[in-house]
């Protein structure tokens, strides 16, 4: 029987974006904050590699939270005519666009929409309709079926002949919480059905998906024990 090969984490084989170098050195040893910053650096390293970090783009961040991903994008692309649309169904405190305004004189057009993604029609958003450049959809840790809602939102917008929002440059999404996906909203249903899989099989798959993170809590507990500082009281605050 062949030995199973362990797939490395993306941040271990993807070039991290150089804009994060100083901050990563500062956070070295701060387990939770360093992990999430490394993930952002890996995502934007991928985005740069695939040509998504281009001037005059409109970046649409789904599940934006406090807006850290867009914050770093704005720092990477200053004065490049980019726009940012941050989408989240929950209100956030300590938004990072406010931090950006304190740090930069030339702040890009950044707007927020507090809406559930499943009810969002991007083609009717003024910022998107007015933008003449390419659109880029992205997210970090978009939970469960929210990823399906976001993908469907982008596809429906791109197929809307009456919308200016057809010019997509690309999409980059880091998902999470696969156990919270639902058969009724899952965009991959046709593929699974072509393999003879049904709703019951899907429910089994999303249960098995959780096995990949079974040791995450144990690893974090060990990090807390081995660290004298820097572990935040609310780890989720470092996510988005």
């Amino acid at each position: 029987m062949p030995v199973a090969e362990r797939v490395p984490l993306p941040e271990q084989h993807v070039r991290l974006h150089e804009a994060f170098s100083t901050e990563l050195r500062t956070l070295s040893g701060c387990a939770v904050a360093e992990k999430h910053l490394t993930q952002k650096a890996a995502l934007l390293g991928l985005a740069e590699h695939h040509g998504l970090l281009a001037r005059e783009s409109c970046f649409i961040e789904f599940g934006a939270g406090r807006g850290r991903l867009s914050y770093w994008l704005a720092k990477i692309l200053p004065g490049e005519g980019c726009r940012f649309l941050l989408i989240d169904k929950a209100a956030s405190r300590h938004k990072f666009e406010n931090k950006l305004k304190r740090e930069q004189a030339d702040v890009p057009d950044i707007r927020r929409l507090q809406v559930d993604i499943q009810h969002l029609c991007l083609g009717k958003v003024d910022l998107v309709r007015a933008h003449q450049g390419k659109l880029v959809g992205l997210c970090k840790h978009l939970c469960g079926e929210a990823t399906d809602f976001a993908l469907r939102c982008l596809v429906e917008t791109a197929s809307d002949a009456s919308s200016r929002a057809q010019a997509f440059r690309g999409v980059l999404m880091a998902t999470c919480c696969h156990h919270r996906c639902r058969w009724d909203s899952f965009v991959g249903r046709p593929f699974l059905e072509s393999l003879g899989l049904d709703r019951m099989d899907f429910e089994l798959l999303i249960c098995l998906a959780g096995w990949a993170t079974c040791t995450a809590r144990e690893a974090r507990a060990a990090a807390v024990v081995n660290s004298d500082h820097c572990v935040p009281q609310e780890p989720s605050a470092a996510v988005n």
Side-chain angles (χ1 to χ4, degrees):
M1 180 180 294
V3 178
E5 180 182 353
R6 185 176 181 85
V7 178
L9 296 172
E11 55 266 32
Q12 294 175 345
H13 64 85
V14 173
R15 186 181 68 83
L16 304 183
H17 197 286
E18 60 184 10
F20 292 80
S21 300
T22 301
E23 189 76 6
L24 283 171
R25 285 195 296 270
T26 302
L27 292 177
S28 179
C30 307
V32 176
E34 183 182 13
K35 179 185 75 171
H36 288 294
L37 192 66
T38 300
Q39 291 173 354
K40 293 180 182 71
L43 282 172
L44 296 190
L46 269 175
E48 183 177 55
H49 177 73
H50 290 284
L52 299 183
L53 304 188
R55 65 188 312 271
E56 297 183 351
S57 295
C58 180
F59 294 97
I60 303 163
E61 184 181 356
F62 295 93
R66 293 166 65 189
R68 293 194 185 204
L69 196 59
S70 291
Y71 164 82
W72 281 103
L73 277 168
K75 289 177 72 70
I76 291 169
L77 297 167
E80 295 290 347
C82 294
R83 294 177 174 178
F84 298 85
L85 178 63
L86 281 60
I87 300 166
D88 205 297
K89 68 177 182 179
S92 296
R93 299 176 61 191
H94 309 298
K95 300 177 181 68
F96 267 68
E97 56 264 41
N98 296 330
K99 176 178 170 64
L100 187 67
K101 292 174 183 177
R102 294 193 297 269
E103 295 177 351
Q104 292 185 187
D106 184 13
V107 179
D109 191 355
I110 303 177
R111 304 187 197 180
R112 279 184 175 267
L113 276 182
Q114 187 176 340
V115 62
D116 194 316
I117 299 171
Q118 65 178 312
H119 304 309
L120 175 63
C121 179
L122 280 176
K124 295 183 179 180
V125 178
D126 290 342
L127 178 72
V128 175
R129 292 176 66 88
H131 189 71
Q132 297 300 311
K134 297 287 187 178
L135 306 180
V136 178
L138 70 163
C139 68
K140 176 182 179 290
H141 288 176
L142 195 57
C143 187
E145 65 177 343
T147 299
D148 298 293
F149 292 144
L151 288 171
R152 190 170 286 110
C153 173
L154 291 170
V155 170
E156 290 176 353
T157 300
S159 61
D160 182 0
S162 65
S163 172
R164 244 291 302 142
Q166 300 178 65
F168 279 93
R169 188 180 301 279
V171 177
L172 178 64
M173 293 186 170
T175 65
C176 75
C177 302
H178 299 130
H179 63 282
R180 299 187 66 178
C181 292
R182 293 194 310 117
W183 178 252
D184 292 333
S185 57
F186 185 56
V187 296
R189 272 180 60 180
F191 172 71
L192 293 183
E193 289 172 338
S194 72
L195 299 176
L197 303 178
D198 57 17
R199 181 187 293 268
M200 186 175 296
D201 298 310
F202 177 79
E203 296 297 335
L204 178 60
L205 286 172
I206 62 175
C207 287
L208 295 177
W211 291 5
T213 56
C214 283
T215 59
R217 186 171 300 176
E218 180 181 341
R220 180 178 178 274
V224 172
V225 171
N226 295 326
S227 176
D228 295 328
H229 62 290
C230 294
V231 179
Q233 295 298 312
E234 297 180 2
S236 61
V239 174
N240 293 328

